[in-house]
């Protein structure tokens, strides 16, 4: 019975953004349809890894949203690279417990996810991809939320 | 179509046929089937549910709401998966009933306005008929015009006032669906959610949405005063359903 919840819920999130705005460094680029949104995010402190760069996040809301998490990935474009991070694969897939079925909670929102990803970048100092990135990018055909990541590393 | 099923005591035969007739839009026969079924099985959830939809379609709002609430109550106690759909029907009944009342209220106000304007015109004409002095006549006309303008302004203000301040307070909103609540239940943290949506969440993940601590359906408690407050709010503000 979750169908039908998505439309209203996403529309209301959109209304809230229009009314109250978004936190600094987060911008809604495309949010007119109720299925797919694009955000641009920047890291605000002077972290040398991400200075001056803008990154683009794509949100896909399934009919079961917000009971299930949205699918969130980084888009790879010339002016919008995929940020370097030990939990972000070079094809844009993000390994973050909040985005998996286990770590997700329906009281989270598109805005709170953007903030989590922003702070995940802010606190990182490693200029590297996850171990096995090349292999993963080559063979993975699964939807991000179906991938069984092991959330073992709490240091970054 | 007015046939009696071969096993006239089996309630399911009537709800099955009612569902088919509901799809065809045969409201009156849906109502008969559901009432027969409820005569055999007063606690039949589907009969209340289909009955509510048929009554809503023919504009019998009070009965529709009564049956939708009856279906909701049965669903909530039996942990039925239709609770989400039933919650939506309850809201729809409240909204349509409010719309109907609101339409009547606006029409009454408009009729009152027209009646009062006509009275002012009559008054003015009576006075004009009794007065031959040109300056006096002008004053009568000006005064009458002014009164009519004020009257229209007062009514216009009342109309726009009721459209303003259309905002649902946060306490009435479910943090999962972002819709106004019909049957709020409270978790261990003290936070309330719509019963249908938190159940949907708990069926997949038995954890508190805020703290992620283990939470089972059996631990939910109804929040009766909040339920009453939401119901009172909807009574006056039916628009909130689609807000």
């Amino acid at each position: 019975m979750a169908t039908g919840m998505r439309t209203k819920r996403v529309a209301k999130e959109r209304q809230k953004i229009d009314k109250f705005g978004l936190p600094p460094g987060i911008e809604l680029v495309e949010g007119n349809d109720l299925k797919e949104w694009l955000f641009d995010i920047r890291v605000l402190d002077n972290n040398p890894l991400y200075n001056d760069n803008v990154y683009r996040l794509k949100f896909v809301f399934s009919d079961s949203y917000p009971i299930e998490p949205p699918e969130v990935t980084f888009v790879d474009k010339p002016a919008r690279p995929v940020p370097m991070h030990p939990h972000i694969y070079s094809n844009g897939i993000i390994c973050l417990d909040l985005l998996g079925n286990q770590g997700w909670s329906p009281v989270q929102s598109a805005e709170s996810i953007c903030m989590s990803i922003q702070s995940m970048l802010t606190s990182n100092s490693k200029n590297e991809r996850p171990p096995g990135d090349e292999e993963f990018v080559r063979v993975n055909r699964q939807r991000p939320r179906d991938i069984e990541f092991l959330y073992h590393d709490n240091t970054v | 179509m007015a046939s009696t099923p071969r096993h006239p005591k089996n309630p399911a035969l009537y709800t099955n046929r009612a569902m088919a007739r509901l799809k065809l839009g045969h409201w009156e026969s849906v109502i008969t089937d559901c009432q027969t079924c409820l005569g055999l099985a007063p606690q039949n959830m589907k009969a209340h549910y289909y009955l509510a939809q048929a009554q809503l379609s023919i504009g019998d709002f009070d009965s529709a709401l009564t049956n939708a609430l009856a279906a909701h109550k049965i669903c909530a106690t039996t942990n039925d998966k239709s609770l989400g759909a039933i919650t939506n029907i309850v809201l729809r009944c409240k909204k349509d009933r409010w719309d109907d009342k609101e339409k009547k209220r606006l029409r009454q106000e408009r009729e009152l306005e027209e009646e009062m304007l006509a009275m002012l015109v009559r008054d003015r004409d009576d006075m004009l008929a009794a007065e031959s002095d040109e300056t006096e006549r002008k004053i009568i006309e000006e005064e009458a015009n002014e009164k009519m303008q004020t009257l229209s302004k007062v009514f216009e203000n009342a109309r726009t006032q009721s459209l303003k301040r259309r905002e649902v307070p946060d306490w009435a909103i479910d943090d999962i669906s972002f819709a106004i609540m019909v049957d709020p239940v409270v978790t261990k943290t003290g936070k309330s959610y719509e019963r249908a949506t938190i159940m949907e969440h708990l069926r997949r993940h038995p954890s508190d949405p805020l703290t992620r601590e283990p939470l089972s359906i059996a631990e939910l408690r109804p929040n009766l005063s909040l339920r009453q407050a939401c119901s009172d709010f909807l009574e006056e503000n039916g628009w909130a359903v689609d807000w």
Side-chain angles (χ1 to χ4, degrees):
Chain A
M1 273 312 136
T3 39
M5 218 194 290
R6 191 236 330 152
T7 325
K8 181 170 193 132
R9 165 74 200 235
V10 177
K12 292 282 283 285
E13 283 193 42
R14 177 63 211 257
Q15 275 176 26
K16 265 195 181 162
I17 291 173
D18 290 343
K19 200 167 166 195
F20 300 108
L22 286 163
I26 301 172
E27 197 186 324
L28 183 64
V29 181
E30 228 177 272
N32 287 330
D33 91 43
L34 301 175
K35 269 193 155 147
E36 211 179 292
W37 285 6
L38 296 174
F39 286 91
D40 270 352
I41 69 168
R42 282 179 299 119
V43 175
L44 294 175
D45 66 352
N46 294 322
N47 189 332
L49 283 174
Y50 309 114
N51 234 347
D52 303 327
N53 265 329
V54 182
Y55 304 104
R56 180 155 296 178
L57 282 171
K58 184 168 94 171
F59 279 65
V60 178
F61 304 100
S62 78
D63 280 341
S64 314
Y65 180 77
I67 298 298
E68 281 183 4
E71 190 177 292
V72 185
T73 48
F74 278 104
V75 176
D76 192 6
K77 282 190 155 189
R80 299 279 183 276
V82 174
M84 206 57 152
H85 189 287
H87 292 170
I88 301 172
Y89 291 92
S90 50
N91 59 2
I93 288 182
I94 307 162
C95 171
L96 178 66
D97 66 341
L98 182 65
L99 298 175
N101 277 326
Q102 288 312 311
W104 170 251
S105 158
V107 295
Q108 299 285 349
S109 63
E111 178 180 338
S112 72
I113 293 171
C114 284
M115 288 167 72
S116 294
I117 292 174
Q118 192 186 35
S119 84
M120 167 177 159
L121 296 180
T122 305
S123 56
N124 175 47
S125 56
K126 294 183 189 162
N127 189 15
E128 58 190 47
R129 292 283 175 210
D133 176 58
E134 236 172 83
E135 175 73 2
F136 175 82
V137 169
R138 197 160 50 80
V139 301
N140 178 61
R141 292 290 172 271
Q142 279 183 297
R143 295 180 305 168
R145 72 150 173 276
D146 294 332
I147 302 170
E148 297 259 330
F149 289 119
L150 281 174
Y151 305 109
H152 56 284
D153 179 6
N154 295 316
T155 57
V156 277
Chain B
M1 283 287 273
S3 60
T4 308
R6 192 185 295 220
H7 301 282
K9 295 270 183 245
N10 183 350
L13 295 176
Y14 294 97
T15 45
N16 287 349
R17 187 167 65 183
M19 185 183 68
R21 288 172 159 174
L22 197 60
K23 295 222 160 99
L24 292 167
H26 297 168
W27 316 125
E28 297 296 344
S29 60
V30 173
I31 292 173
T32 324
D33 273 347
C34 291
Q35 279 164 346
T36 312
C37 173
L38 289 171
L40 297 166
Q43 288 297 302
N44 191 298
M45 191 277 285
K46 284 181 184 170
H48 283 296
Y49 179 38
Y50 300 150
L51 187 51
Q53 293 175 65
Q55 286 167 331
L56 193 58
S57 303
I58 60 165
D60 184 359
F61 304 110
D62 288 330
S63 311
L65 181 57
T66 307
N67 281 300
L69 287 171
H72 184 279
K73 196 171 180 183
I74 298 168
C75 259
T77 40
T78 58
N79 197 352
D80 193 295
K81 284 191 177 148
S82 313
L83 193 59
I86 309 273
T87 304
N88 286 340
I89 279 286
V90 172
L91 284 173
R92 191 58 31 214
C93 289
K94 293 193 172 200
K95 167 75 169 32
D96 287 2
R97 189 174 70 163
W98 179 84
D99 273 346
D100 184 60
K101 274 190 198 155
E102 186 73 355
K103 222 186 283 169
K104 281 186 190 138
R105 187 182 67 85
L106 286 173
R107 196 176 54 222
Q108 275 173 0
E109 278 184 14
R110 209 169 280 277
E111 280 168 6
L112 179 63
E113 183 184 0
E114 278 161 18
E115 217 176 292
M116 296 188 73
L117 279 172
M119 276 164 67
L120 287 175
V121 169
R122 225 171 21 240
D123 251 27
R124 181 198 62 190
D125 291 350
D126 286 352
M127 282 162 83
L128 284 176
E131 183 61 70
S132 53
D133 182 274
E134 268 310 310
T135 3
E136 285 299 323
R137 285 176 70 90
K138 213 163 228 162
I139 292 172
I140 291 170
E141 282 204 32
E142 269 168 20
E143 274 178 359
N145 276 342
E146 206 168 299
K147 275 185 194 166
M148 285 189 270
Q149 274 172 12
T150 313
L151 185 70
S152 297
K153 212 181 279 170
V154 168
F155 274 94
E156 192 51 43
N157 276 344
R159 272 192 290 272
T160 47
Q161 270 307 317
S162 72
L163 288 174
K164 264 188 219 160
R165 286 198 306 273
R166 288 209 161 173
E167 200 141 316
V168 184
D170 278 344
W171 54 258
I173 296 285
D174 167 42
D175 275 353
I176 297 176
S177 63
F178 285 15
I180 186 159
M181 291 188 276
V182 169
D183 184 15
V185 290
V186 63
T187 72
K188 282 181 277 188
T189 60
K191 174 104 191 121
S192 292
Y193 303 90
E194 175 68 55
R195 185 189 293 272
T197 58
I198 185 81
M199 298 264 281
E200 182 87 33
H201 163 71
L202 292 179
R203 267 197 280 274
R204 296 180 200 222
H205 301 287
S207 66
D208 189 290
L210 278 182
T211 60
R212 293 174 200 285
E213 278 170 31
L215 178 70
S216 70
I217 290 174
E219 289 173 291
L220 299 174
R221 294 289 175 271
N223 188 338
L224 297 177
S225 37
L226 184 56
R227 181 190 169 118
Q228 189 58 46
C230 290
S231 171
D232 290 349
F233 184 84
L234 269 181
E235 191 73 30
E236 299 295 316
N237 304 280
W239 50 265
V241 170
D242 290 333
W243 185 71

